[in-house]
Amino acid sequence: MHPGAWFVWALAAGAVAVGTTNPFYLVLLWAVSWTVYALCRRDNAGGDAWRIFVVFGLIALATRTALVFFGPVDAGSVVAAALEGLRLATLLVVFGTFNAVTDPFAVLRLAPRRWHEPALAAALALSIAPRMISAAGQVREAQRLRGIKVRKLAALPAVVVPVLATGMEEAVTLAESMDSRGHGRGTRTRYRPQPFAARSFAVTLGAFAAAGAFVALGVAGSGDATYQPWPLVWPGASAWMVLAVAALALPAAVPSGPREGGGAG
Amino acid sequence: MSDAVLFEGVTFTYPGAPAPVLAGVELELAAGSFVLVAGPTGAGKSTLVRAVNGLVPHFSGGTMSGRVSVHGRSTTEQPPRRLADLVAFVPQDPGAAFVLDRVEDELAYVMENLGVPGAVMRRRVEETLDLVGIEHLRDRSVTTLSGGERQRVAVAAALTAGPRVLVLDEPTSQLDPQGAEDVLAALQRLVHDLGMTVILAEHRLERVLGFVDVALACPGDGRVVAGSPRRAMDVLGSGPPVTRLGRRLAWDPLPLTVRDARRRAADLSLVPPAAGPPAAGEVVLEARRLRASYGERTVLSGVDFTLAAGEIVALMGRNGAGKTTLLRCLAGLHAPASGTVSGRVGPPVAGRDVALCPQTPESVLFRDTVGGEIDATLGAHLGGQGRDGVLADFGLTGLAARHPRDLSAGQRLLVATAAIAATGAGVLLLDEPTRGLDLEAKERLCAVLELKAGRGEAAVFATHDVELVAELATRVVILAGGEVIAAGGPGEVLGDSPVFAPQMARVFGPGWLTPEQVATALGVEARA
């Protein structure tokens, strides 16, 4: 699949997540993301990092919910906070799926020149996450061998300090390597641009239509897209909007024909 | 001949450093030379090679005076990206420097940045794949490559821009002997066939001296002495085993390669040395019919291994032969699919009976003093020898109050090894402990292991460094494809191997290991 198609898919899924606090749609979007991840993931570190995005999502959910207890509390405000946390968590999972199915740097190469720097920063951040995750595993193991109890809070520096130091060193190495190889000189050409095949076209159109329909229906006020838990009753859901969210699983359904020549997708 | 690289009065000081690492350096390197940069760690080798494409000072910070120019273009006025069409740089750890996922895309990356037209890019990628001999890797993800493959892909990715100067920082430090030979042969072709100037910083002198025609010696006082490789060895007072032997026997000219030494040694006759008696200590670690796998991939298939008190065993074999996995199984970190590992009493407990030093031990350092690092381990264990004893063993007593990050790479590695070994475990496992270490740090590490072995402890180290094995190991185990294919004393195992033989065995025949051993034998002969 063309990285551009994945980019549109991620934007569409992100728009749906941002556009609702209804738990039915959000949970369905989790399931859709997981399906796409499971069937389309690439066999590399980016794919392995998906779980970490899920963990971060759960942390965001817990933190957002906990924050509400610092003010006046009623059942509705706890549910509302939890749903906002769920929305954030869903966004992270969508992001993690995007990271797992495509190469962030392949997407970076599509960015128009004026957007190159912010896109580069995003791609670097994404590529460093999986590296730091594997570094954390190695450091924990080595410190455990020294008899340092890595599970205790007091031992946190023993893991965090080396991981950050290694992460910084690797980021510098990557930045140096990119600069040494002419990154940021301005004029760019594309090596073997990947054809935008029928599958990519279908996914792009499908994602665009699904998100468009979802947001339009939500704005029109149907299907409880923005759910207010006062009074605390179950929200409704529109069959059409459920269908629109489910349609985002399209990339998992289109056959993943033979690998094309260029691009990593 | 025109100058490819010109240094005019270059002085460079890192931010916060008390003294300049390069002081008044004057250099003229002719186009088409194959240049070695040699010297101990921290003497400015990396700084020198990075100054050629402007990473120093543009990325390092610090203050620089003087002028560096490459084919007439100054690195002070132009950052590395502006020089990318002229100078290519391959860093020490190419794995961390890959930008794209697929090998073919990685090769094209620099050309995309230079705005090379599509058709030309296509042709150059194909040519470079053939030139470096990595056509079979084109569709692979860079994360799945072995050390040698990574290094060659990094070289190829640097070459597609058609640079006139190629700079490499320790290109063979992570490679097995054959992988290193392949990379160096590819570099030599670039010099011979394309007239490229190749500059490489390297510690493993025995591997590169036969290839290069100019050497820059960095003795550590800020000077850089340019000249023939022989002159550089004189300035540094070090060298590969043949050179050290030549120095002891006062040979003139000093031999640099096995061929040089063989010519000189033709009229010497030496009685092959008798192999030492096998170690007969108590068995401290034993593995039986060990099988291990990662997912679908079988890494060890039926390995038997024993370690006795007082032994220092070297584990050798190609990249990917299963050395690291065997060490991890011995340390109890990787559960074998079948077979057993047993220590003195029952299965060994990692951290108590066995200590394992991973490939990048520096990554365990987190305290702000050297002494603090040892305390962190001792505090956790409340046993073993005291902190001062550990520091003394590793020759670190004087550095106890220093910050580990302020030390040289070699010292830092010793600190990390000391921190790991401080658990008091009687068996120390080390995974490639001498990567990027200079001779001095290497000798220190050898001294520590021999001291520990003398006390009845034992060590196993995985390495590609044949000369280290010749000097240190009491026994050698060679792995291939997850099986033990040779085991025994270093003299018999390494002696007649075309790949693993140390320089002394190549000159004098199987059984000879170190220049000290040969010199002693010759001395005895002369007196008799």
Side-chain angles (χ1 to χ4, degrees):
Chain A
M1 186 106 60
H2 194 278
W6 280 122
F7 188 65
V8 172
W9 177 87
L11 280 183
V16 169
V18 170
T20 182
T21 48
N22 185 319
F24 293 132
Y25 305 138
L26 288 174
V27 168
L28 181 60
L29 192 51
W30 270 68
V32 165
S33 286
W34 181 79
T35 313
V36 171
Y37 157 77
L39 293 176
C40 304
R41 65 159 286 181
R42 299 178 321 136
D43 213 9
N44 66 4
D48 296 337
W50 189 80
R51 283 175 298 138
I52 304 302
F53 283 94
V54 173
V55 171
F56 280 160
L58 293 175
I59 292 172
L61 171 60
T63 317
R64 182 68 191 86
T65 313
L67 278 178
V68 81
F69 290 98
F70 286 98
V73 183
D74 62 55
S77 57
V78 174
V79 170
L83 289 178
E84 273 179 37
L86 181 64
R87 176 163 71 172
L88 195 57
T90 314
L91 261 180
L92 280 165
V93 170
V94 166
F95 202 56
T97 303
F98 174 61
N99 184 44
V101 295
T102 187
D103 177 1
F105 286 93
V107 182
L108 166 68
R109 295 199 297 174
L110 303 175
R113 199 186 303 167
R114 57 188 317 182
W115 285 18
H116 204 72
E117 292 308 314
L120 172 63
L124 278 176
L126 271 177
S127 72
I128 278 165
R131 292 182 201 215
M132 289 194 38
I133 289 155
S134 74
Q138 287 162 12
V139 170
R140 277 173 64 98
E141 188 179 272
Q143 301 293 35
R144 204 157 46 80
L145 286 183
R146 278 171 78 183
I148 294 173
K149 305 247 180 322
V150 287
R151 285 186 177 280
K152 284 195 178 161
L153 206 60
L156 206 57
V159 177
V160 173
V161 172
V163 168
L164 287 181
T166 315
M168 286 294 290
E169 274 165 29
E170 291 199 339
V172 170
T173 303
L174 187 57
E176 284 183 353
S177 157
M178 294 179 75
D179 204 276
S180 301
R181 290 196 275 155
H183 179 88
R185 277 168 63 118
T187 48
R188 277 181 61 83
T189 45
R190 288 272 289 123
Y191 175 71
R192 298 180 78 179
Q194 194 180 353
F196 207 79
R199 285 177 299 121
S200 304
F201 215 70
V203 166
T204 308
L205 273 184
F208 200 75
F214 186 92
V215 171
L217 286 169
V219 168
S222 65
D224 282 344
T226 43
Y227 164 60
Q228 304 286 340
W230 296 278
L232 192 57
V233 290
W234 283 106
S238 121
W240 287 109
M241 287 168 80
V242 167
L243 196 67
V245 177
L248 285 171
L250 186 63
V254 293
S256 62
R259 197 191 169 90
E260 283 124 300
Chain B
M1 217 190 292
S2 68
D3 285 330
V5 178
L6 195 62
F7 278 59
E8 295 163 287
V10 175
T11 297
F12 176 77
T13 313
Y14 279 105
V21 61
L22 301 177
V25 174
E26 304 277 347
L27 279 183
E28 291 172 23
L29 298 175
S33 2
F34 198 158
V35 184
L36 164 70
V37 184
T41 52
K45 291 195 310 297
S46 269
T47 313
L48 186 71
V49 295
R50 294 155 75 84
V52 175
N53 84 331
L55 284 174
V56 168
H58 291 282
F59 270 75
S60 61
T63 51
M64 180 155 133
S65 61
R67 187 170 185 272
V68 178
S69 51
V70 183
H71 287 279
R73 277 155 68 181
S74 158
T75 63
T76 359
E77 285 130 43
Q78 298 190 318
R81 60 179 170 277
R82 290 278 148 211
L83 297 165
D85 55 321
L86 192 63
V87 193
F89 176 74
V90 179
Q92 205 169 0
D93 175 11
F98 288 136
V99 179
L100 294 165
D101 191 52
R102 232 169 113 241
V103 167
E104 198 181 333
D105 294 335
E106 184 68 19
L107 258 60
Y109 178 71
V110 63
M111 292 190 288
E112 291 186 328
N113 289 328
L114 296 176
V116 174
V120 179
M121 279 200 268
R122 190 68 204 273
R123 197 190 71 226
R124 281 211 213 145
V125 165
E126 299 302 327
E127 287 167 355
T128 311
L129 286 170
D130 285 338
L131 183 70
V132 187
I134 52 167
E135 210 280 322
H136 59 292
L137 302 177
R138 69 188 307 153
D139 280 317
R140 292 268 294 276
S141 162
V142 292
T143 53
T144 64
L145 302 177
S146 76
E149 290 168 343
R150 269 208 297 273
Q151 194 62 257
R152 279 187 292 159
V153 169
V155 169
L159 285 179
T160 50
R164 295 173 72 182
V165 178
L166 175 63
V167 184
L168 307 102
D169 197 357
E170 295 196 26
T172 75
S173 66
Q174 312 190 12
L175 304 185
D176 57 51
Q178 190 56 50
E181 193 78 9
D182 290 348
V183 167
L184 289 167
L187 295 177
Q188 193 176 37
R189 275 176 70 189
L190 299 175
V191 173
H192 286 189
D193 299 355
L194 306 178
M196 202 177 281
T197 311
V198 173
I199 305 174
L200 56 92
E202 188 59 72
H203 280 301
R204 308 286 275 273
L205 300 174
E206 69 276 8
R207 288 178 169 178
V208 293
L209 275 176
F211 289 93
V212 299
D213 38 45
V214 180
L216 310 178
C218 304
D221 51 7
R223 283 182 307 146
V224 175
V225 183
S228 66
R230 195 159 279 126
R231 170 106 195 277
M233 293 308 107
D234 281 338
V235 171
L236 295 172
S238 72
V242 283
T243 310
R244 300 210 302 273
L245 178 71
R247 206 172 274 135
R248 288 183 86 132
L249 302 179
W251 283 353
D252 185 46
L254 210 53
L256 295 179
T257 62
V258 169
R259 264 183 92 197
D260 293 348
R262 232 181 243 143
R263 253 177 248 142
R264 231 3 244 272
D267 51 342
L268 294 177
S269 61
L270 279 172
V271 183
E282 175 201 1
V283 171
V284 289
L285 198 59
E286 184 167 33
R288 292 195 143 274
R289 293 186 297 281
L290 208 56
R291 305 175 67 87
S293 52
Y294 283 101
E296 304 268 290
R297 200 162 59 90
T298 303
V299 186
L300 297 177
S301 38
V303 169
D304 287 316
F305 182 88
T306 47
L307 179 70
E311 275 195 314
I312 304 175
V313 176
L315 213 51
M316 304 191 76
R318 282 182 212 105
N319 288 97
K323 302 186 293 295
T324 299
T325 308
L326 178 54
L327 289 181
R328 290 176 59 83
C329 286
L330 293 176
L333 288 177
H334 187 89
S338 68
T340 55
V341 178
S342 50
R344 273 202 176 95
V345 276
V349 175
R352 189 194 70 193
D353 308 316
V354 180
L356 173 69
C357 229
Q359 268 185 17
T360 48
E362 310 93 299
S363 67
V364 304
L365 300 177
F366 69 104
R367 300 287 288 266
D368 48 14
T369 61
V370 170
E373 287 293 346
I374 310 297
D375 288 344
T377 306
L378 290 176
H381 275 263
L382 301 169
Q385 35 178 341
R387 162 184 158 176
D388 294 340
V390 174
L391 288 171
D393 279 0
F394 283 80
L396 296 168
T397 309
L399 303 175
R402 296 274 298 276
H403 195 295
R405 301 248 164 227
D406 292 341
L407 305 176
S408 78
Q411 288 169 331
R412 211 159 49 224
L413 201 116
L414 284 173
V415 173
T417 310
I420 292 165
T423 53
V427 176
L428 184 56
L429 311 176
L430 306 110
D431 200 352
E432 295 196 34
T434 63
R435 293 212 298 200
L437 282 198
D438 57 20
L439 211 58
E440 194 191 322
K442 228 189 251 186
E443 276 168 6
R444 171 54 69 182
L445 190 70
C446 288
V448 173
L449 293 185
E450 277 166 354
L451 183 78
K452 284 177 163 288
R455 284 193 204 128
E457 298 180 23
V460 183
F461 65 107
T463 191
H464 294 308
D465 189 338
V466 174
E467 304 301 339
L468 176 78
V469 176
E471 200 158 306
L472 181 63
T474 59
R475 198 154 57 83
V476 181
V477 172
I478 299 183
L479 291 177
E483 290 172 24
V484 174
I485 56 156
E492 48 182 299
V493 174
L494 301 181
D496 52 0
S497 157
V499 179
F500 292 114
Q503 287 197 324
M504 289 303 116
R506 287 172 199 260
V507 176
F508 297 102
W512 296 101
L513 294 168
T514 64
E516 289 71 26
Q517 186 192 15
V518 173
T520 312
L522 283 172
V524 169
E525 230 176 35
R527 253 176 265 130

